[in-house]
Amino acid sequence: MRDLALIFGAALAAALGVGLVGALTLRLLRDRSITVHVCVLLTVTVAAVVAGVVVVAQAMFLSPHDLQVVLLTVAAAAVVSLGVGWYFGRRLAVAAVWADQARERERRVEKGRRDLVAWVSHDLRTPLAGLRAMAEALEDRVVDDPATVAEYHRRIRAQTDRMTRLVDDLFELSRINAGALRLTLSAVPLGEVVSDALAGTAPLAEARRIKLVAAESGWPTVLASEPELARVVGNLLLNAVHYTPSDGTVRVDAGSERDAAWLAVADTCGGIPEDDLPRLFDVAFRGEPARTPRSGGEGSGGLGLAIVRGLVEAHGGRVDVQNVVGGCRFVVRLPAA
């Protein structure tokens, strides 16, 4: 019995020594990945077993041959244990990271949904209040001179158009998020799409005294769905005009690279804060200027750029933004026809 107690004590001391070293190692590596922690934990466990076996084997005065047999047996078991532990440790780490990323995405989506509801409610409430006030004024004949009545009619139509654009944006975004967007791809001359978008944006640009400039040549042909591509270009131009101050410039150009085509819309908005760049295409994100909207109310609830990203990615392309001297530059890359 005394021999067994001595053997147990020797094995326990050896295992405790390895365990203390392992605990110190885990503490030093506390900021590393889950895979590293699992591998270190398994190594400490196997090393503790090996240390106990070696100490006991030496205490028992085994022959060199028998000692080699014991060590080889323990080594084989250690290799299998570490291999299996490393494999499943990586799977556990990937699952943990994926779960954490999924929770973070869910939190971002939920926050975006709340912001969207709040901002869209605000963007609808404001014109609705104006429409009701003007309708009541016309109904009660508070205003009856022809000039004022005509002005009220013009404002009612403008506010109605604004709400129509907002509802259209919500519908388009719901199609993108639900995966219900079906594209009919064909060879589309990018120059024609840009020309139509410039014609549609010109009245707003003139009202703001903003100069629209487009390249005269070099327009490629892209593989795209023309209605959705027109929506992308139109949203980018409206966004550029909306945030460019008076007497500014919005420039559109394009080109080709390898098997892709690119379209760039640059403005003179003064640049975007670096912290806002990664969130610029998020749903309902409009940055600080959205908190002090300009008169005229061309806001779209912060949906325009989110729709741009969704439509571009549905085409198999991508959209990026970067600050340039005096403003920012949006670049859309699409497959070339």
Side-chain angles (χ1 to χ4, degrees), residues 122-151:
H122 174 271
D123 284 347
L124 286 175
R125 188 185 302 114
T126 301
L128 284 173
L131 287 172
R132 179 168 184 170
M134 288 183 286
E136 289 178 350
L138 292 173
E139 183 180 10
D140 297 339
R141 299 187 183 278
V142 175
V143 293
D144 53 6
D145 59 290
T148 305
V149 171
E151 176 63 17

Side-chain angles (χ1 to χ4, degrees), residues 67-288:
L67 182 59
Q68 288 180 357
V69 171
V70 171
L71 293 179
L72 286 175
T73 303
V74 173
V79 169
V80 173
S81 299
L82 291 176
V84 172
W86 175 83
Y87 175 74
F88 285 100
R90 283 183 59 86
R91 293 187 58 179
L92 177 63
V94 170
V97 171
W98 180 87
D100 185 63
Q101 291 176 346
R103 286 192 295 270
E104 181 61 27
R105 279 197 305 270
E106 185 177 354
R107 284 193 292 267
R108 287 201 305 268
V109 169
E110 183 60 28
K111 183 179 184 302
R113 186 182 295 112
R114 289 196 301 267
D115 292 343
L116 176 61
V117 171
W119 286 338
V120 168
S121 299
H122 174 271
D123 284 347
L124 286 175
R125 188 185 302 114
T126 301
L128 284 173
L131 287 172
R132 179 168 184 170
M134 288 183 286
E136 289 178 350
L138 292 173
E139 183 180 10
D140 297 339
R141 299 187 183 278
V142 175
V143 293
D144 53 6
D145 59 290
T148 305
V149 171
E151 176 63 17
Y152 273 32
H153 286 160
R154 186 194 68 80
R155 291 184 182 180
I156 289 174
R157 180 171 181 177
Q159 296 288 11
T160 304
D161 290 342
R162 178 189 174 192
M163 288 191 295
T164 301
R165 288 195 300 270
L166 181 56
V167 172
D168 289 343
D169 284 346
L170 287 171
F171 176 70
E172 190 72 25
L173 191 63
S174 67
R175 290 174 61 205
I176 294 172
N177 292 336
L181 186 63
R182 299 291 180 265
L183 301 178
T184 303
L185 301 180
S186 61
V188 179
L190 190 56
E192 296 181 5
V193 175
V194 171
S195 178
D196 292 342
L198 288 172
T201 313
L204 178 61
E206 291 178 5
R208 292 183 176 274
R209 301 196 308 276
I210 294 173
K211 184 179 180 181
L212 298 177
V213 179
E216 296 181 359
S217 60
W219 298 99
T221 300
V222 298
L223 185 63
S225 175
E226 187 169 355
E228 282 73 20
L229 181 59
R231 186 70 176 270
V232 168
V233 178
N235 281 9
L236 288 176
L237 285 174
L238 285 175
N239 180 78
V241 170
H242 180 66
Y243 286 102
T244 297
S246 300
D247 301 320
T249 301
V250 173
R251 180 177 180 83
V252 187
D253 54 3
S256 301
E257 51 183 25
R258 298 181 184 177
D259 56 348
W262 58 269
L263 167 74
V265 177
D267 57 42
T268 54
C269 67
I272 301 171
E274 292 295 332
D275 293 340
D276 288 350
L277 286 176
R279 302 178 54 202
L280 205 60
F281 296 98
D282 290 351
V283 174
F285 180 77
R286 295 182 289 184
E288 289 303 320

Side-chain angles (χ1 to χ4, degrees), residues 275-325:
D275 293 340
D276 288 350
L277 286 176
R279 302 178 54 202
L280 205 60
F281 296 98
D282 290 351
V283 174
F285 180 77
R286 295 182 289 184
E288 289 303 320
R291 306 181 192 282
T292 54
R294 301 177 183 178
S295 59
E298 293 86 3
S300 61
L303 305 179
L305 293 180
I307 292 173
V308 166
R309 181 176 64 177
L311 293 178
V312 170
E313 291 179 350
H315 283 84
R318 72 178 191 272
V319 58
D320 303 298
V321 60
Q322 61 183 8
N323 285 322
V324 295
V325 178

